[in-house]
Amino acid sequence: MISTTAHNGVDAPRPARAGPASDLVLSGVSKSYGSSVAVRHLDLSIEAGHLVALLGPSGCGKTTTLRIVAGFETPDTGEVRIGGVDVIDLPPHRRSLGMVFQNYSLFPHRTVAENIGFGLRMAGVGRAERDARIQSMLDLIKLEGRGDTYPSQLSGGQQQRVALARSLVVNPKVLLLDEPLGALDRSLRESMQFEIRAMQQRLGITTLLVTHDQEEALSMADRVAVMNAGRILQVGAPSEIYDRPQTRFVAEFLGTSNILEGRASSDGRALVVPAAAGGEIVVPLGEPRTPGEALTISVRPERIALGTERQPSVVNIEGRVTGAIFRGTYAAYQVEAPGLGRELFVYRQADGPLGSVAFRLGESVVLSWTPQDVVVVASE
Amino acid sequence: MTEFTLPIAPRRRARPLAMRSVYLIAPAALFLLFFFVLPLADNAMRSFVDEATGAFTLARYAALLTDPFYLRIMGETVLLSAGVTVISLIIGYPVAYFLVRKAGRWSALVIFLLIAPLLTSIIMRTFGWQVLFARKGLVNNLLVNQLGLLEQPLRLTNSVEITIAALVHVLVPLMVLSITSVLQGIDRRLEESAQILGANRLRTFWEVTLPLSLDGIGTGAILVFMIANGSFVTLVLLGGGLQTLPLMIYQQFNTTRDFGMASAMSMILLVIAIACLWLQLRIVRRRGA
């Protein structure tokens, strides 16, 4: 991440009316359309100056939640507080928000400078101050001298930056980002992730990011809220969400997970997974559980070591390679464990020669991991 | 096109195929040539030829463009069309907006109601207006006999107002449909962006929606203007003493029997129509670029 101290006050244009950042609190927010429930009694709070990503599959209610904050939708129940003030009764234009849409939504009939200055003009900011603030924004987004061009003459990334500048120039209390990078190329997306995050931190603006892209959420957010079927399943720091998923849905939605189901052993220190032909596979757990309890566990593919020999004092499962894919920085393997009746995924750093995979199809291998790599998740 | 259908074929072979596709439009082209282009050319010739001597002359155009009588007629024609256009726009825009933004699943019904007047014959429609507003028509009957608001029936037919109303009645759908197609293409998120940036509904409409629908307004206005300019039946039946170019052309052909003058007038009407089309193409092309 780009250092914030290096830029503060040196070349960063200072917002002219920057007040203290506001926090955003949603409590008990529900919204239904007819018989379909979009958002179920949702609680979410964003500390002032933080970026929270609302992450979930399409149709999970994340966009509805964002539109409720924006004021385009009215919730059936609940409160939306910005800086402690309930804004439910305020129309969108009086909520002092900034918003960036997936397709940028720049006004096609206005120049870049007019687009950026739109909010200032609506707020009645005088021409001289307006021009100065537009200029500093153009500098900030590295589009100096392009103020007189029209949005259609800019590249996707440039349009995205103009959209960001347009929403930030008015010093909004909260910035809303609706799939902001969805329309960009993969390579551009990564650099924009850095850029938006750097700008958000530099300005210290409270931000709600809505995305279905887990990588975007993990890399940009202070905290990630995973949402499904109108509910927030888990909120936490990106690493916490990734390493300690509380539910099966979270484990599977973020990255890939190997999910195993079974019962706790009689001493509660292992998971017993029923295997074919009456056998069983015993997986030691990091923390003891109630004996006999039905359990679901998740093991991340990159936590599993792949070798040809059993490792001492860890979990060892023997299997056969049924799939091997080279993915640049790592190789992905599918390994069938006899008796388990299913395949496990393993990621292995690509340390061999370029374009190679270390294990061949059909090769017998041993999968090993430590009990600390096992996460017990709720089965839902 | 042929390059796509025959990607492997050598380029030389594409030519006969391209020629063959010309034959497809030949019937229509021939029809238009004999029944549209040639008569039009004949008409144009007639307007430039002195009937007595057979010599080339610009006298008719000189008369049309300098004589106050003709200038007044042309002015009246354009003024009437402009008035009809403006009224159609004022009535049509809200309807188009409602259709796109509010009607939802009722939009098909609204469109049907809009187009319905176009499905009736123009004669029927015009007589309908006469029946409605005649001396002993429905409106006067209501005002004088039923409500007793007036002593004398109003003279409503043969008035400029009724003529304008009848023209607007037919032409509003064209305005509405032109604006509707453009409004439908406006991304709602542009309006939402304006709102988030502090614009209330009125401001949003003024700053975003209206400027972005100018194309539709332009297309609709030019369409309405052109058709109003050439309208004839409505003016003959409801006219109210209005004298417009189409009426004058009719008069020259049937009463005065000055074919040359009638031809010159129709050429001027044609030039106005072509100018309108050119204007529309320019607007669309500028926006598209």
Side-chain angles (χ1 to χ4, degrees):
Chain A
M1 229 37 54
I2 295 167
S3 154
T4 50
T5 49
H7 284 82
N8 261 350
V10 181
D11 59 350
R14 281 187 176 281
R17 286 180 302 144
S22 307
D23 60 342
L24 170 67
V25 179
L26 283 79
S27 45
V29 171
S30 298
K31 176 76 181 174
S32 309
Y33 298 98
S35 59
S36 77
V37 184
V39 179
R40 289 169 207 267
H41 204 81
L42 180 136
D43 296 316
L44 179 69
S45 60
I46 307 182
E47 239 177 274
H50 276 210
L51 190 156
V52 168
L54 210 49
L55 173 68
S58 59
C60 72
K62 58 188 192 299
T63 299
T64 304
T65 306
L66 186 89
R67 292 178 63 81
I68 286 172
V69 176
F72 296 131
E73 307 280 349
T74 311
D76 302 332
T77 63
E79 275 184 355
V80 176
R81 290 181 174 275
I82 296 173
V85 180
D86 191 354
V87 296
I88 286 295
D89 293 328
L90 291 180
H93 69 273
R94 292 184 52 205
R95 292 194 181 188
S96 306
L97 303 172
M99 186 160 177
V100 176
F101 293 87
Q102 176 171 2
N103 61 353
Y104 327 128
S105 289
L106 296 175
F107 305 127
H109 59 301
R110 298 195 180 280
T111 63
V112 167
E114 285 169 348
N115 263 283
I116 296 176
F118 187 89
L120 298 174
R121 203 156 55 80
M122 292 303 115
V125 175
R127 173 168 275 275
E129 191 195 338
R130 206 161 73 213
D131 287 347
R133 282 164 74 178
I134 292 170
Q135 262 327 307
S136 68
M137 267 299 161
L138 282 170
D139 293 347
L140 188 69
I141 59 172
K142 303 179 199 86
L143 281 175
E144 304 95 334
R146 301 296 301 276
D148 290 332
T149 52
Y150 282 87
S152 59
Q153 294 166 284
L154 300 180
S155 70
Q158 289 171 331
Q159 290 185 39
Q160 182 60 273
R161 297 211 294 269
V162 173
L164 195 63
R166 183 178 69 174
S167 59
L168 288 175
V169 74
V170 293
N171 299 312
K173 289 180 178 154
V174 173
L175 177 64
L176 306 174
L177 303 173
D178 187 8
E179 304 269 4
L181 306 177
L184 296 177
D185 294 340
R186 191 180 167 79
S187 57
L188 197 54
R189 217 152 50 205
E190 193 164 307
S191 68
M192 281 303 291
Q193 283 173 11
F194 280 109
E195 203 167 320
I196 292 180
R197 176 61 163 161
M199 204 180 292
Q200 181 265 331
Q201 288 187 321
R202 192 187 302 173
L203 300 175
I205 183 164
T206 313
T207 305
L208 178 61
L209 164 72
V210 157
T211 180
H212 68 275
D213 182 339
Q214 42 143 329
E215 188 192 299
E216 201 169 296
L218 294 177
S219 55
M220 290 173 71
D222 293 298
R223 289 194 312 147
V224 176
V226 182
M227 209 173 161
N228 189 37
R231 257 190 268 266
I232 288 180
L233 300 177
Q234 190 176 354
V235 187
S239 58
E240 182 190 333
I241 293 274
Y242 186 80
D243 290 333
R244 295 281 142 195
Q246 287 166 358
T247 64
R248 179 174 180 163
F249 179 86
V250 174
E252 289 187 315
F253 190 75
L254 273 90
T256 308
S257 263
N258 293 299
I259 301 289
L260 296 174
E261 287 169 315
R263 292 195 174 275
S265 59
S266 51
D267 62 355
R269 293 191 167 275
L271 173 77
V272 181
V273 184
E280 55 190 25
I281 292 174
V282 178
V283 181
L285 297 172
E287 287 163 18
R289 307 288 298 199
T290 318
E293 183 190 2
L295 291 177
T296 303
I297 63 159
S298 154
V299 185
R300 292 287 186 195
E302 64 272 19
R303 298 280 180 177
I304 302 178
L306 206 54
T308 48
E309 284 166 19
R310 300 178 73 87
Q311 308 287 315
S313 69
V314 292
V315 185
N316 286 292
I317 291 179
E318 284 164 13
R320 200 171 51 84
V321 176
T322 56
I325 298 169
F326 177 63
R327 282 195 182 156
T329 53
Y330 66 95
Y333 294 93
Q334 252 186 341
V335 178
E336 190 192 342
L340 205 58
R342 51 162 298 183
E343 273 134 356
L344 298 177
F345 294 97
V346 183
Y347 294 164
R348 193 170 190 273
Q349 284 298 313
D351 47 4
L354 278 178
S356 78
V357 287
F359 298 92
R360 298 283 158 206
L361 285 183
E363 207 171 330
S364 291
V365 288
V366 178
L367 307 172
S368 26
W369 63 79
T370 67
Q372 283 70 44
D373 296 324
V374 172
V375 180
V376 177
V377 295
S379 63
E380 67 168 301
Chain B
M1 246 167 75
T2 45
E3 283 174 14
F4 283 106
T5 49
L6 280 176
I8 317 161
R11 255 193 106 77
R12 266 174 293 129
R13 293 192 53 188
R15 199 167 284 274
L17 266 178
M19 287 300 288
R20 196 178 300 163
S21 65
V22 168
Y23 302 144
L24 293 175
I25 61 161
L30 281 175
F31 181 86
L32 284 177
L33 181 70
F34 282 106
F35 294 100
F36 182 66
V37 178
L38 290 181
L40 206 58
D42 183 49
N43 190 55
M45 293 286 286
R46 198 183 306 122
S47 72
F48 287 114
V49 173
D50 190 303
E51 273 164 12
T53 62
F56 175 82
T57 177
L58 287 172
R60 298 190 186 97
Y61 290 98
L64 279 172
L65 297 176
T66 52
D67 190 327
F69 174 72
Y70 292 121
L71 286 178
R72 196 178 59 82
I73 287 171
M74 279 187 267
E76 215 159 82
T77 310
V78 169
L79 210 63
L80 172 73
S81 308
V84 169
T85 305
V86 169
I87 295 171
S88 298
L89 175 63
I90 292 169
I91 295 176
Y93 199 101
V95 177
Y97 192 87
F98 172 83
L99 197 60
V100 173
R101 290 291 150 81
K102 312 279 178 198
R105 60 205 174 95
W106 299 105
S107 61
L109 181 71
V110 177
I111 287 177
F112 172 76
L113 290 176
L114 261 178
I115 296 177
L118 296 178
L119 301 177
T120 59
S121 132
I122 186 157
I123 307 279
M124 296 294 295
R125 203 163 47 220
T126 311
F127 276 123
W129 282 94
Q130 278 197 336
V131 169
L132 211 57
F133 290 103
R135 216 183 129 72
K136 297 192 170 181
L138 275 173
V139 173
N140 271 327
N141 186 39
L142 190 73
L143 289 175
V144 179
N145 300 334
Q146 305 291 323
L147 300 176
L149 291 175
L150 297 171
E151 296 277 309
Q152 292 289 317
L154 287 172
R155 188 177 172 279
L156 291 168
T157 46
N158 274 340
S159 68
V160 178
E161 292 80 3
I162 290 300
T163 306
I164 291 177
L167 283 173
V168 166
H169 180 222
V170 199
L171 296 176
V172 146
L174 300 176
M175 183 68 84
V176 172
L177 295 179
S178 301
I179 297 172
T180 299
S181 69
V182 172
L183 274 182
Q184 268 165 346
I186 297 179
D187 189 343
R188 290 302 297 272
R189 281 173 289 194
L190 289 174
E191 292 167 343
E192 291 179 350
S193 295
Q195 285 175 7
I196 279 285
L197 289 166
N200 60 27
R201 278 161 167 254
L202 192 66
R203 207 82 199 266
T204 300
F205 175 79
W206 195 249
E207 299 275 353
V208 177
T209 319
L210 188 64
L212 290 177
S213 54
L214 281 180
D215 268 4
I217 293 176
T219 305
I222 286 165
L223 208 58
V224 168
F225 183 86
M226 264 166 50
I227 297 175
N229 229 9
S231 63
F232 174 68
V233 175
T234 311
L235 281 144
V236 167
L237 294 176
L238 298 172
L242 275 170
Q243 282 191 308
T244 64
L245 266 181
L247 286 179
M248 212 27 96
I249 294 167
Y250 177 79
Q251 201 187 338
Q252 294 288 329
F253 260 109
N254 288 305
T255 317
T256 324
R257 303 197 74 75
D258 184 349
F259 292 173
M261 202 60 188
S263 298
M265 285 179 184
S266 56
M267 288 312 289
I268 284 182
L269 202 56
L270 182 68
V271 166
I272 295 176
I274 289 174
C276 286
L277 277 178
W278 175 79
L279 202 67
Q280 188 205 351
L281 278 178
R282 254 188 68 112
I283 291 173
V284 171
R285 204 169 294 162
R286 185 169 52 86
R287 300 265 160 182

